[in-house]
Amino acid sequence: QVHAFEPFRVLHQVLTANCAINGLLSCFTYHNALGNRTEQRSRRMPGLAAVGNPSKSYVVDAVKSELLVHHDSQGRMETVSMVRLDDVLRLDRLDVIKIDVESGEYEMLLGGEQTIRKFQPVIYVEDSEADTLGATKTPTAQWLQKAQSYSCHDPRDFDLVLMTST
């Protein structure tokens, strides 16, 4: 099973449609952001009428770079529902977590602390602070290493090419 979370309404609709038209019957989509608390946040809607990368839309208050982020040209806002991973998923098994939450990595992991401790999945994090602090020195990596006993690595140390939109 794949469980995918997307906080912005129109992007969630695209995600869900892509799963459906490609016959991905084991893909479950959730119209939520993941964080360390349950709350509602008012955020600018992603803009789809310009060349950019809608997946760079963010829920946190600030991001390192807004390169390729386009917001709705009419300035419309939407209410984004944030939930904790520990409160949403009830799984019998969890092998991998892939995280790309535009500067919300640490909070997202804190909200999934019990789930991570229970299953000890492989975790791939696109950590927005890794370029400036180093892959093993970010708050996210430090928490994984100290609180969860994970070993953190920079993919470049294994000659893997990073693919990013920034």
Side-chain angles (χ1 to χ4, degrees):
Q1 294 180 345
V2 173
H3 297 268
F5 293 80
E6 175 54 56
F8 295 98
R9 182 186 56 84
V10 71
L11 300 181
H12 176 258
Q13 290 171 338
V14 170
L15 171 65
T16 303
N18 280 326
C19 291
I21 63 175
N22 286 293
L24 304 177
L25 300 178
S26 63
C27 187
F28 300 88
T29 62
Y30 302 83
H31 184 196
N32 301 105
L34 290 174
N36 192 27
R37 62 188 161 278
T38 299
E39 66 180 6
Q40 305 291 313
R41 292 185 177 188
S42 181
R43 293 294 182 253
R44 291 167 59 188
M45 290 176 67
L48 302 179
V51 175
N53 185 349
S55 71
K56 299 291 286 177
S57 298
Y58 55 92
V59 176
V60 296
D61 293 328
V63 292
K64 178 181 168 186
S65 168
E66 286 205 25
L67 180 68
L68 300 176
V69 176
H70 291 280
H71 299 287
D72 178 73
S73 61
Q74 297 177 24
R76 291 178 286 197
M77 304 291 284
E78 76 176 273
T79 300
V80 171
S81 175
M82 182 178 289
V83 297
R84 297 173 69 251
L85 183 66
D86 285 342
D87 297 337
V88 176
L89 291 184
R90 299 289 181 251
L91 302 173
D92 295 323
R93 175 180 168 184
L94 178 63
D95 299 318
V96 177
I97 296 177
K98 190 262 185 195
I99 303 167
D100 183 0
V101 290
E102 306 308 325
S103 299
E105 302 87 6
Y106 183 67
E107 291 78 14
M108 183 260 137
L109 287 168
L110 290 177
E113 183 172 10
Q114 294 168 7
T115 301
I116 293 166
R117 185 166 285 116
K118 178 178 179 182
F119 295 108
Q120 291 288 296
V122 169
I123 300 176
Y124 179 88
V125 182
E126 185 178 301
D127 194 334
S128 58
E129 297 179 297
D131 286 339
T132 54
L133 298 176
T136 61
K137 305 280 190 246
T138 68
T140 299
Q142 292 291 304
W143 181 83
L144 282 167
Q145 292 170 100
K146 291 178 180 160
Q148 298 287 340
S149 300
Y150 271 76
S151 175
C152 297
H153 305 278
D154 186 327
R156 293 171 286 205
D157 294 342
F158 302 94
D159 295 322
L160 297 172
V161 178
L162 300 182
M163 303 193 66
T164 183
S165 57
T166 56

